[in-house]
Amino acid sequence: MNIAIFGTGVVGRMLASKCSELGHGVAIGTRDIQSSHGSEDLKQFLAGHSEISLRSFPDAAKFGELAINAVSGANSIAALKMAGADNLRGKVLIDISNPLDFSAGMPPTLSICNTFSLGEEIQSTFPETKVVKTLNTMTAALMVYPSLLPGDHNVFINGNESSAKAEVVDLLQQFGWKAANILDLGDISASRGVEMYLPIWLRLYGSLETAVFNIHVVK
């Protein structure tokens, strides 16, 4: 499968590397190819992954049979608009972004919460795209290498289309997630809850002094 990953940062590169390792065709989408090529981290990454292409947002969106939004929450809507609604129409879009607002410094606040979410905003802006929210509640390495953390722990998933969620569950299992540890929270409005978890995640990060931690739901 060809996968478009929007975002050239740590999360985007981690996902791109893992998807390529699994045998998928991968294109990383960026706003400005020339500026992105000036990034030393990205240059080193692409030099070690010649099979991964760097493309403009719209070219990456055309390439991908499935897309992943790994752009920062503040820039997600603009980036996806650049990718183009026509290029995303009918496709599954995995959204891992969070609406973090750093304008007042650390810790960040949420720019959207309570009665709406970034996941819902993306879905309403692109009604013909199948948005599935997942992987936003953990650090990048755990997203694609859940075995880094011993024992059982959970990844959440939500979206309006059951067929789209099934496709994403399949990819999560390719990443190494056990079926029993993938918890479906319902439709896209469940993004409110998983996005509002981020303030707790940030406090835990500060307290534990490591980002390699996660939730295990017990009942």
Side-chain angles (χ1 to χ4, degrees), residues 169-187:
V169 165
D170 179 69
L171 185 61
L172 291 174
Q173 289 180 292
Q174 291 179 48
F175 288 168
W177 288 97
K178 299 175 185 177
N181 290 335
I182 302 171
L183 299 185
D184 187 341
L185 301 182
D187 66 25

Side-chain angles (χ1 to χ4, degrees), residues 193 195-207 213 215:
E195 290 174 9
M196 286 192 287
Y197 168 67
L198 263 293
I200 301 175
W201 189 94
L202 288 163
R203 293 292 183 173
L204 287 169
Y205 176 41
S207 178
F213 65 88
I215 295 174

Side-chain angles (χ1 to χ4, degrees), residues 98-179:
N98 286 300
L100 298 176
D101 181 356
F102 294 90
S103 62
M106 291 291 289
T109 57
L110 297 176
S111 60
I112 308 171
C113 61
N114 296 324
T115 58
F116 205 45
S117 64
L118 183 54
E120 289 171 279
E121 184 177 9
I122 292 171
Q123 182 63 86
S124 63
T125 305
F126 302 91
E128 296 181 89
T129 300
K130 303 169 186 177
V131 180
V132 177
K133 189 89 177 187
T134 191
L135 294 172
N136 69 302
T137 57
M138 65 194 72
T139 195
L142 279 178
M143 294 178 187
V144 295
Y145 296 107
S147 61
L148 285 175
L149 194 61
D152 288 328
H153 51 104
N154 298 109
V155 59
F156 305 114
I157 184 170
N158 66 84
N160 294 340
E161 296 270 351
S162 58
S163 61
K165 287 191 283 188
E167 190 172 337
V168 175
V169 165
D170 179 69
L171 185 61
L172 291 174
Q173 289 180 292
Q174 291 179 48
F175 288 168
W177 288 97
K178 299 175 185 177

Side-chain angles (χ1 to χ4, degrees), residues 36-110:
S36 294
H37 272 305
S39 163
E40 287 300 321
D41 287 346
L42 185 59
K43 273 199 267 189
Q44 290 179 17
F45 175 81
L46 293 172
H49 297 83
S50 59
E51 76 285 1
I52 297 174
S53 61
L54 181 67
R55 307 187 184 206
S56 67
F57 283 138
D59 284 348
K62 290 174 186 175
F63 168 86
E65 299 166 86
L66 176 146
I68 301 175
N69 176 38
V71 177
S72 66
N75 296 309
S76 286
I77 296 294
L80 293 170
K81 284 181 176 178
M82 288 182 69
D86 288 345
N87 298 326
L88 295 172
R89 181 175 290 116
K91 297 179 180 179
V92 173
L93 173 66
I94 298 174
D95 175 41
I96 62 174
S97 62
N98 286 300
L100 298 176
D101 181 356
F102 294 90
S103 62
M106 291 291 289
T109 57
L110 297 176

